[in-house]
Amino acid sequence: SPTLTALLAEHRESLRADVIVIADAANPAVDVPALTTSLRGLVDVVVDAAGRRTHLDRWLSAIGAQHTHVERAECGLAYFGRHYRLGEGAPGPVTTRVVAGLAEFTVGIWGGDNATMQLVVAPLVGDRRFLPARDPAVFTAVLRTVPFYAAWLDALTPITDVSVMGGLHNTLRRLVVDSRPVATGLLAVGDAVCTTNPTFGRGIGVALRTVADLVAVLDDHPDDPVAASLAMDRAVLEHVTVADIAEQHL
């Protein structure tokens, strides 16, 4: 529209908002909401919160922009996990969270909501001796070799099969390359910025830290997208460093 820019400038204060919700996307049904990700509108900031599988570099390629800079190291572990319902006679509270690094593998228990628990056996990814741990009977037998977890098994009823997770990496993604933002107004939080070995749940801390930094950056630089990108990059380097990733490599 030839008049839109002037209208927005004239009514800038009246139109000021923290969030813009666009509701003109097609819905599959009246009671089924839809999320449209291809709209382009009058926004100052795009925040990537798509997690470790973000398509950010693909999006940047589509507009001819430079890719982000990603540093990567393999976690080196495979995870065999199963969820349980907590019953009577538990040796500890449902909030129990104990991880033990043993000579042959790492083992852990995590409390969840609705009286559920998760048990995990995590050997080195190249240790093929643990491939049979996909079998629930083998998985249980491995856990019972450790007395602490054997006591928990006596109070737990399995509610899932054994799930396997691998191919995990520690990563640090920077949206500023050679002192320049790859795209102005583009910021990221959580796993889209950094992923680590999931054993100790650091992802929650990283997500909260980057969101707090995002709020501070936008508060300090509301009208300067370049300054906001540079400030967010400095915050990432200060709070989520390559040294941290190296320390978390198991």
Side-chain angles (χ1 to χ4, degrees), residues 36-59:
T36 301
T37 61
S38 60
L39 289 175
R40 291 181 293 175
L42 300 170
V43 296
D44 292 322
V45 176
V46 174
V47 179
D48 180 7
R52 69 187 185 96
R53 297 187 184 277
T54 175
H55 298 308
L56 185 55
D57 284 328
R58 186 186 305 174
W59 300 334

Side-chain angles (χ1 to χ4, degrees), residues 209-234:
R209 179 70 262 181
T210 53
V211 168
D213 288 337
L214 173 69
V215 172
V217 163
L218 294 179
D219 187 53
D220 291 341
H221 307 283
D223 300 313
D224 190 338
V226 174
S229 294
L230 296 176
M232 192 67 183
D233 184 63
R234 288 193 298 270

Side-chain angles (χ1 to χ4, degrees), residues 53-76:
R53 297 187 184 277
T54 175
H55 298 308
L56 185 55
D57 284 328
R58 186 186 305 174
W59 300 334
L60 290 169
S61 292
I63 63 172
Q66 183 176 359
H67 280 194
T68 60
H69 176 73
V70 180
E71 298 190 37
R72 184 186 308 267
E74 289 189 9
C75 290

